[in-house]
Amino acid sequence: MEAGILRDQLADLSKGVFISMPVGTVLSALILAVQLLSGGGLAAVLWFAAIALINGARVVLAVARSEAADDRPQTPGARLSLYGLLALASGVAWSFLALLSDGYATPQAPLYLIVLAGASAGSVTYGSSYAPASINFVTLPLLIAAGCVLANGGVENFVLAFTIVLFLGGMIRSALLGQSRFRETSRLKYEAREFAAEMERNSRRDPLTNLLNRYGLEQAIRQLGLSDGPFVAMLIDLDGFKSVNDTYGHTVGDNLLVKVARRIEDHAPRDATIARIGGDEFVLLFAAGKSLQPTSELASAIIAAIANPDPELNSVRVGASIGIYQSEKPRLTEMLLKADFALYAAKRGGRNEYCLFDAALDAALERKNCIERDLRGAIVAGTLCSWFQPLVRLDTGAVVGFEALLRWRHDVHGAISPPEIVTAARETGLLSLLTETVFLNCCAMIAELVRQGRPDVRVAMNLSPRELEAGNVDDMILDGLKAKNVPAAMLEIEITEEAPVDRDRVDEKVGRLADAGISIVLDDFGTGFSTLVSLKDSRIRKIKIDKDFVRDLAKSVEDQALVEAVIGLGRTLGIEVMAEGVETDADRMILRSLGCMVAQGYLFSAALPMRDALAFDAAGTSVAEARFEPRRNPRSGNAA
């Protein structure tokens, strides 16, 4: 900072030279003219020449390059000292004015004193940033002037001498005060710059790990040379980190993040860029040519380092998944997007896995983007619609209900599965619109059933607990039933249990729906997060045994025992039990023998357009006549 202040003093002093020197030259020329007119001769000319020479040297110093003879830059302090010496030399020269005026005793003395006072004031005014330059100039000539005037005797001269001394004191004080203020202003400027620079540095750094944050990563990637490519981006996400925070607290979790950061640094290639861009997400970006080992080996080494057990974590094991993308040009958004897509592909393979973004993933990402881009248009145009799969009684073959299932045949990608549709809707913020569309389709189906005199047939739609938790789906359904004048008792809502929800909030909304007469169905019972505790909920009127237990039921004694147990529980609790995924007559007969009276599946029919579903007669349809959809579109409802 001190060097910067000195540079500011030097710059200000150099700028002032171009004002003070011309004024000084004019004043000295005025004295020369007066001297010549009053009979002065060579002495006045020599004096003026000395003044002009010194002033010229000061101007040259102001404009000269700050290079010494050895080509090393001079320090600002050294140049300021030169200014001080030249100011002293100028002060010595102006002191000889006493000789030209015979000790300020000639008739021209008052004029000379006025000129000297003006030159002194000017030196202080235009050299306030560096006090020695002003003080060195004014001190000697003013002291000599005061002495000469005092030596001339008389009260008036005594007063004048005293005035000159006071003037000198004022000039010295002004010079020192001006320098102090200038240096303080300069110091504050540099402190502000340093603070701003520190804030800028901090804005680029993660305060916990001292790695770059996302903003810092964006700045760093702009400085990468295109000639260093190709570039590799590794997106590293910790597996099981939430359990660390939940079990040991955030302090231990923070310590673990710091350790992980250091482990990544230990394995990173030379000149790699490392950032923490999320809670437990890290980015490693490097030029492929600077890595001493293949990308796959480096990823495996990083995973092994992170998965190395931590002595502080006895009951939790943390791993890492890595998504990798290689690009010729360092485009951050593209690299993170594709590395993230590869990361989730790695996570689907289990813990401690890595995945390289390849042509297959590129095609999958293009498909995902295309689906998300076209989803709203498909909903609005009605090309994304609901088909209805019949629910059939196993003893009579009568259709007792329908489940609304999403169907969308994309112009480019063909049939889009319901899970893909729901995921795309969630990613694009269209889930509530999708849910409302399905609900309205169900209302239309119910209205047609009423018109046909079939009020005992129910229509089911799927609803995600996460959507119940986050939105106002309950209001939309209740208001919609009232507006459409549709019987609430004919609507069923199938809910799959999920762990990461606010149970109290979901229970409140489920209660509102149940109180309105809507049947609440526990879907996919036996899988995911469904528990026996749910069966105690008096609002649950039906449970659906998951297809994984029903498919090939006739061949599995274990599955038969589980299904029988669930049916027994339902009978005891007064809850209807039905099965999904029935595909063979053998499975149908086993279910019926175990006491399950309602089922759905390809044995009876795949999902059908509303008109076909309304005309469907299970009792008159053989297995050979049943309409099958491709196996890759099994029963899977919208999560809404």
Side-chain angles (χ1 to χ4, degrees):
M1 183 185 298
E2 180 61 25
I5 294 174
L6 292 175
R7 283 194 298 270
D8 286 350
Q9 287 180 281
L10 180 60
D12 185 78
L13 194 60
S14 298
K15 191 186 301 181
V17 163
F18 296 102
I19 300 175
S20 62
M21 290 306 98
V23 173
T25 301
V26 169
L27 292 176
S28 60
L30 177 62
I31 292 175
L32 174 62
V34 171
Q35 279 287 311
L36 293 177
L37 291 173
S38 60
L42 181 61
V45 173
L46 292 175
W47 174 82
F48 177 78
I51 296 293
L53 182 63
I54 296 170
N55 286 346
R58 295 169 76 177
V59 171
V60 169
L61 180 61
V63 299
R65 295 176 58 194
S66 58
E67 297 292 329
D70 56 0
D71 291 333
R72 290 181 302 177
Q74 293 178 342
T75 63
R79 297 192 71 197
L80 286 172
S81 297
L82 286 176
Y83 270 114
L85 291 175
L86 289 173
L88 179 61
S90 184
V92 171
W94 277 86
S95 298
F96 279 92
L97 189 58
L99 295 178
L100 297 178
S101 61
D102 294 331
Y104 293 99
T106 64
Q108 296 81 19
L111 174 63
Y112 296 163
L113 288 174
I114 292 173
V115 171
L116 178 60
S120 299
S123 70
V124 173
T125 300
Y126 297 109
S128 61
S129 58
Y130 184 60
S134 302
I135 294 172
N136 289 354
F137 173 75
V138 304
T139 302
L140 187 58
L142 288 178
L143 283 177
I144 290 176
C148 290
V149 170
L150 187 63
N152 290 333
V155 176
E156 292 181 356
N157 287 329
F158 289 160
V159 174
L160 181 57
F162 179 70
T163 303
I164 294 173
V165 172
L166 286 179
F167 179 72
L168 173 61
M171 291 296 98
I172 293 175
R173 181 179 181 279
S174 295
L176 293 174
L177 186 60
Q179 175 181 268
S180 176
R181 289 175 176 172
F182 185 91
R183 287 180 59 85
E184 178 66 13
T185 301
S186 182
R187 181 186 67 80
L188 291 175
K189 179 186 73 173
Y190 283 104
E191 284 184 352
R193 287 182 180 177
E194 288 182 6
F195 179 73
E198 183 179 0
M199 291 293 291
E200 173 68 12
R201 289 191 297 270
N202 291 340
S203 71
R204 300 184 181 191
R205 289 282 170 181
D206 169 43
L208 178 62
T209 62
N210 199 38
L211 297 177
L212 295 175
N213 57 21
R214 189 182 187 94
Y215 174 69
L217 180 61
E218 291 173 355
Q219 300 302 308
I221 202 169
R222 294 174 183 172
Q223 301 175 9
L224 295 177
L226 298 180
S227 60
D228 295 334
F231 297 91
V232 176
M234 288 188 177
L235 186 58
I236 305 166
D237 185 78
L238 301 187
D239 298 320
F241 178 72
K242 184 178 183 298
S243 298
V244 175
N245 281 337
D246 293 344
T247 305
Y248 294 97
H250 289 275
T251 299
V252 174
D254 289 347
N255 291 337
L256 177 62
L257 290 174
V258 174
K259 292 177 182 177
V260 168
R262 302 293 84 81
R263 292 175 185 179
I264 295 174
E265 286 178 331
D266 291 341
H267 289 80
R270 178 172 55 88
D271 297 330
T273 300
I274 310 173
R276 177 182 173 226
I277 62 171
D280 59 350
E281 267 193 339
F282 298 83
V283 172
L284 175 59
L285 178 66
F286 58 92
K290 294 186 178 181
S291 178
L292 300 178
Q293 56 189 145
T295 301
S296 58
E297 291 183 10
L298 176 59
S300 296
I302 292 174
I303 290 173
I306 294 175
N308 187 33
D310 192 307
E312 290 187 17
L313 309 176
N314 297 321
S315 60
V316 178
R317 287 291 178 265
V318 175
S321 298
I322 301 180
I324 307 170
Y325 177 66
Q326 182 168 308
S327 173
E328 290 298 325
K329 297 180 180 179
R331 298 189 180 100
L332 183 61
T333 301
E334 174 190 5
M335 297 182 84
L336 289 186
L337 174 67
K338 295 185 176 180
D340 183 67
F341 201 72
L343 171 66
Y344 280 95
K347 283 185 174 292
R348 287 194 294 271
R351 283 192 171 196
N352 297 329
E353 297 286 343
Y354 68 85
C355 179
L356 180 65
F357 189 88
D358 55 15
L361 285 182
D362 191 32
L365 179 59
E366 193 280 331
R367 173 189 172 92
K368 174 178 178 290
N369 293 338
C370 187
I371 290 172
E372 291 179 357
R373 183 176 60 249
D374 297 340
L375 180 59
R376 179 182 289 274
I379 295 175
V380 173
T383 53
L384 190 158
C385 57
S386 297
W387 285 16
F388 298 88
Q389 186 173 31
L391 280 62
V392 178
R393 280 197 64 89
L394 299 182
D395 52 353
T396 65
V399 175
V400 296
F402 295 95
E403 180 181 2
L405 302 173
L406 290 171
R407 292 297 180 265
W408 180 20
R409 181 163 293 279
H410 193 275
D411 292 340
V412 176
H413 300 290
I416 309 300
S417 69
E420 280 185 286
I421 297 172
V422 173
T423 300
R426 185 175 291 118
E427 291 291 330
T428 55
L430 296 175
L431 192 54
S432 59
L433 176 62
L434 180 66
T435 302
E436 184 175 5
T437 300
V438 174
F439 168 70
L440 293 176
N441 291 339
C442 290
C443 287
M445 182 67 164
I446 293 173
E448 190 62 28
L449 288 168
V450 171
R451 192 185 68 80
Q452 292 183 5
R454 302 168 67 183
D456 56 331
V457 178
R458 293 177 176 173
V459 178
M461 64 178 289
N462 291 274
L463 197 61
S464 165
R466 280 184 292 178
E467 191 173 4
L468 271 172
E469 177 186 27
N472 296 316
V473 182
D474 52 334
D475 290 331
M476 183 271 293
I477 291 174
L478 295 177
D479 294 343
L481 290 174
K482 184 177 180 180
K484 297 290 184 181
N485 195 26
V486 171
M490 292 182 68
L491 179 66
E492 288 187 340
I493 293 181
E494 299 187 2
I495 300 177
T496 301
E497 284 197 302
E498 297 178 11
V501 295
D502 182 343
R503 185 169 293 277
D504 291 338
R505 182 174 172 84
V506 172
D507 285 348
E508 177 187 351
K509 296 189 175 187
V510 168
R512 290 189 66 204
L513 296 172
D515 291 342
I518 298 171
S519 295
I520 306 300
V521 181
L522 185 60
D523 198 9
D524 296 337
F525 186 78
T527 64
F529 297 99
S530 60
T531 64
L532 293 176
V533 174
S534 304
L535 300 183
K536 296 171 60 179
D537 191 334
S538 60
R539 296 167 301 188
I540 301 298
R541 300 184 185 179
K542 181 190 295 185
I543 57 176
K544 293 179 72 170
I545 302 174
D546 187 73
K547 59 183 175 296
D548 288 340
F549 295 102
V550 175
R551 189 174 295 127
D552 296 327
L553 181 64
K555 300 177 183 178
S556 173
V557 177
E558 293 82 1
D559 284 347
Q560 291 177 32
L562 286 171
V563 170
E564 185 176 17
V566 173
I567 293 171
L569 280 171
R571 185 181 300 114
T572 301
L573 297 173
I575 299 174
E576 181 183 354
V577 178
M578 67 164 290
E580 62 182 5
V582 180
E583 297 185 359
T584 67
D585 198 53
D587 292 338
R588 177 187 65 81
M589 289 188 292
I590 288 291
L591 283 170
R592 183 175 177 183
S593 68
L594 294 175
C596 179
M597 289 295 102
V598 179
Q600 68 185 102
Y602 287 134
L603 175 65
F604 312 109
S605 175
L608 302 170
M610 187 173 76
R611 179 181 299 178
D612 294 343
L614 288 167
F616 176 75
D617 181 6
T621 303
S622 66
V623 174
E625 295 171 333
R627 297 181 56 173
F628 284 84
E629 292 180 294
R631 271 301 183 89
R632 74 180 186 86
N633 280 329
R635 188 221 67 81
S636 180
N638 60 300

